């Protein structure tokens, strides 16, 4: 069917293939045209060429003439046939191998001629309508500018954002009770609902080696418009488990094979995709009950971004943060070796909903990140920077932050949690701890992995307490804080401030 027969005055389709970076700012293909009354109740194919190397197609569509009751519906065909039909209910959509906007099908992005299909259920005889379709191609290793599932921050304000970095659903081994009381694979919706009930701002659904959850998350993100969904996977190997955050692309998990010979290769793939990698429950026992749960893979820790120092399943099993499977000693040993790894926590939830006999573990523990806004890019940037604490309590206003300062060379120098402070050997460093939590708790300073004898009481719900330390060197030097409740249980864990020792 020709455009001329349809009465369509076609403007030239503009095709400008650009780099992945430029594609974030400008479309790769723009299809423009003008419809007249002759297109009433017809279908129009708008062909465009998809080159090799594309792994995502995103479409933004706009048309005029609505005041004349003109209506244009949309669909999409790939070289092999049908990929979706959204009618008039969506002006934007995206699809890839792992996920797609509802109405469209995820699957391979095949190189060749695709067709954006316009259906015209109504166009009055004298009416005209100008349309424009802006089509953007995604490529392997493109970095999400804002989020994989939303194109804007959910909150524009800088501040502390609370989330859970480890959870599971029906897409791996998450279970819950059905309406009839049977144990069934647990729908994604219930995990997100539990996260919102906990007052969380973000959640990373990290099903084992799976990518199918991304399609469900893309469908649910518009509904959960105050809860940011971060794409994640738990890379489950025979030598340890690791979460990756920030990409919907497939990442190989068969460690020790030719496709993934070692952890360095895994981390390289993750970082090339603009994502982060964190070691999960490193001290968990490995055996028939949980194959490969403990971390024993040969690792250069410069390749790792974070460590799960508190795992909700371990806390439940040992009735406390501290115990034989707690990840804090593993993490602190790496800090003493000179690696700057951010401590995070994750519930490792496998049974999301609250019931009269069961409290969902989602959000226990919570990872709290200081970020410039509530977007994937800024949260992961904040995680990498290390201005992060782990909270075993429930409360959106709880805060733990550190500041270290020293007088030097005629000026006062200062660093906050996650940063490095340059100091002369044997300098007297002031460490100020900002706490907003429970009155009656106490602060314990950890200096280079050892708890100082001095423990300071926190007399009110909001307080600042101060310590002094003297970094001496050589070797790694750092300081952090634990907050204990009245019974001595750890309730909050800070990340370190690092010291760079220099001579006079």
């Amino acid at each position: 069917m020709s455009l001329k027969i349809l009465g369509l005055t076609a403007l030239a389709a503009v095709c400008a293939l650009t780099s992945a970076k430029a594609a974030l700012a400008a479309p790769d293909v723009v299809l423009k045209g003008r419809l007249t009354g002759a297109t009433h109740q017809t279908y129009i194919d708008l062909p465009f060429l998809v080159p090799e190397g594309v792994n995502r197609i995103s479409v933004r569509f706009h048309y005029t003439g609505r005041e004349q009751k003109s209506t244009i519906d949309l669909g999409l065909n790939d070289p092999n046939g049908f990929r979706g039909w959204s009618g008039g209910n969506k002006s934007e959509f995206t699809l890839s191998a792992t996920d797609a906007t509802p109405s469209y099908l995820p699957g391979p992005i095949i190189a060749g001629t695709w067709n954006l299909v316009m259906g015209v259920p109504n166009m009055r005889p004298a009416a005209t309508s100008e349309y424009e379709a802006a089509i953007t191609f995604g490529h392997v290793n493109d970095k999400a500018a804002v989020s994989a599932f939303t194109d804007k921050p959910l909150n524009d304000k800088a501040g502390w954002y609370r989330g859970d970095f480890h959870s599971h659903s029906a897409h791996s081994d998450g279970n819950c009770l059905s309406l009839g009381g049977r144990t069934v694979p647990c729908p994604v919706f219930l995990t997100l609902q539990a996260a919102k009930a906990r007052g969380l701002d973000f959640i990373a659904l990290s099903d084992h080696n799976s990518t199918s959850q991304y399609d469900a998350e893309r469908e649910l993100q518009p509904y959960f418009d105050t809860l940011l969904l971060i794409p994640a996977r738990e890379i489950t190997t025979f030598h340890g488990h690791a979460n990756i955050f920030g990409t919907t692309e497939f990442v190989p998990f068969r460690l020790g094979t030719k496709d993934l010979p070692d952890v360095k290769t895994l981390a390289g793939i993750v970082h090339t995709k603009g994502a982060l990698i964190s070691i999960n429950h490193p001290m968990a026992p490995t055996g028939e009950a949980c194959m490969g749960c403990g971390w024993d893979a040969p690792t250069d820790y410069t390749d790792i971004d974070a460590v799960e120092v508190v795992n909700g399943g371990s806390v439940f099993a040992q009735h406390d943060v501290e115990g034989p499977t707690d990840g804090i000693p593993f993490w602190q040993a790496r800090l003493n070796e000179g690696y700057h790894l951010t401590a995070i926590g994750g519930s490792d939830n496998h049974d999301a909903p609250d019931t009269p006999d069961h409290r969902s573990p989602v959000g226990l523990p919570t990872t709290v990140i200081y970020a410039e806004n509530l977007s994937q890019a800024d949260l992961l940037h904040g995680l990498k920077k290390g201005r992060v604490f782990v909270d075993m309590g429930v409360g959106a206003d709880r805060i733990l932050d550190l500041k270290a300062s020293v007088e030097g060379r005629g000026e006062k120098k200062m660093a906050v949690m996650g940063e490095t402070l340059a100091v002369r050997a044997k300098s007297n460093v002031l460490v100020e701890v900002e706490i907003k939590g429970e009155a009656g708790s106490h602060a314990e300073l950890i200096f280079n992995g050892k708890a100082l004898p001095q423990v300071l009481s926190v007399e009110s719900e909001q307080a600042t307490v101060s310590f002094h330390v003297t970094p001496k060197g050589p070797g790694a030097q750092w300081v952090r804080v634990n907050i204990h409740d009245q019974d001595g249980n750890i309730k909050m864990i800070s990340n370190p401030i690092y010291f760079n020792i220099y001579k006079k």
Side-chain angles (χ1 to χ4, degrees), residues 143-164:
K143 298 181 181 180
V146 178
S147 171
F149 304 129
T150 177
D151 61 359
K152 61 182 180 180
L154 300 191
N155 188 323
D156 290 325
K157 295 180 180 179
W160 295 97
Y161 290 105
R162 306 175 64 83
D164 189 339

Side-chain angles (χ1 to χ4, degrees), residues 21-42:
K21 183 177 180 180
L24 297 174
D28 296 280
V29 175
V30 177
L31 304 171
K32 295 181 179 181
R34 182 171 179 267
L35 302 179
T36 71
T39 61
H40 177 67
Q41 294 189 353
T42 62

Side-chain angles (χ1 to χ4, degrees), residues 200-466:
L200 301 186
D201 302 301
F202 66 89
I203 189 168
L205 192 66
S206 53
D207 281 306
H208 296 277
N209 297 333
S210 171
T211 61
S212 58
Q213 68 271 19
Y214 303 147
D215 202 32
E217 289 180 274
R218 185 170 294 284
E219 178 180 1
L220 291 168
Q221 180 68 90
Y223 177 80
F224 288 93
D225 56 359
T226 60
L227 177 71
L228 184 71
L229 312 184
I230 297 177
R233 286 172 68 198
E234 185 167 15
I235 300 295
T236 306
T237 82
F238 300 144
H239 299 282
H241 298 184
N243 272 358
I244 59 174
F245 309 116
T247 181
T248 59
E249 293 182 40
F250 176 76
V251 174
F253 59 87
R254 296 187 298 174
L255 190 65
T257 66
K258 64 178 182 179
D259 294 330
L260 193 66
D262 49 36
V263 173
K264 183 170 285 293
T265 302
L266 170 62
I269 294 170
V270 171
H271 291 146
T272 300
K273 297 178 184 301
L276 301 181
I277 182 168
S278 175
I279 295 173
N280 290 346
H281 42 70
M283 298 301 293
T286 292
E288 291 183 353
C290 189
M291 286 303 299
C293 280
W295 190 261
D296 64 9
T299 306
D300 177 352
Y301 290 96
T302 57
D303 298 324
I304 304 300
D305 302 297
V307 175
E308 184 184 73
V309 301
V310 184
N311 175 277
S314 296
V315 171
F316 178 80
Q318 61 196 19
H319 308 292
D320 194 4
V321 170
E322 296 178 290
T325 63
D326 119 47
I328 296 174
F330 176 93
W331 168 57
Q332 292 190 155
R334 306 291 83 76
L335 298 180
N336 282 339
E337 292 166 356
Y339 300 104
H340 292 196
L341 305 177
T342 300
I344 63 173
S347 69
D348 204 356
N349 160 70
H350 287 75
D351 49 352
D354 282 325
T355 68
D357 301 319
H358 169 74
R359 185 188 186 200
S360 168
V362 172
L364 298 173
T366 298
T367 301
V368 190
I369 302 175
Y370 189 89
E372 292 302 312
N373 58 53
L374 183 54
S375 69
Q376 176 178 303
D378 280 277
L379 281 173
L380 295 186
H381 180 64
L383 187 155
K384 184 65 177 175
K385 286 175 60 179
R387 198 167 179 201
V388 177
F389 69 93
V390 179
D391 189 358
M392 290 304 302
V394 177
D397 58 349
R398 294 163 66 93
I399 293 174
L400 176 60
D401 202 5
L402 303 185
K403 179 172 68 175
S405 57
V406 64
E407 299 284 349
R409 296 186 178 179
E411 61 180 359
K412 189 175 183 179
K413 297 182 290 184
M414 187 269 289
V416 297
M417 186 165 59
E419 294 181 338
T420 299
L421 181 65
V423 298
R424 291 192 302 272
K426 300 183 180 180
S427 296
N428 183 29
V429 178
L430 173 65
V431 180
E432 298 173 272
V433 184
E434 179 187 355
I435 306 161
K436 189 175 182 183
E438 300 172 2
S441 58
H442 58 270
E444 172 189 49
L445 195 76
I446 311 296
F447 184 37
N448 301 333
K450 296 181 180 180
L452 296 189
Q454 181 187 23
V455 175
L456 299 182
S457 296
V458 181
E459 302 297 340
S460 59
E461 292 184 359
Q462 187 166 359
T464 299
V465 298
S466 299

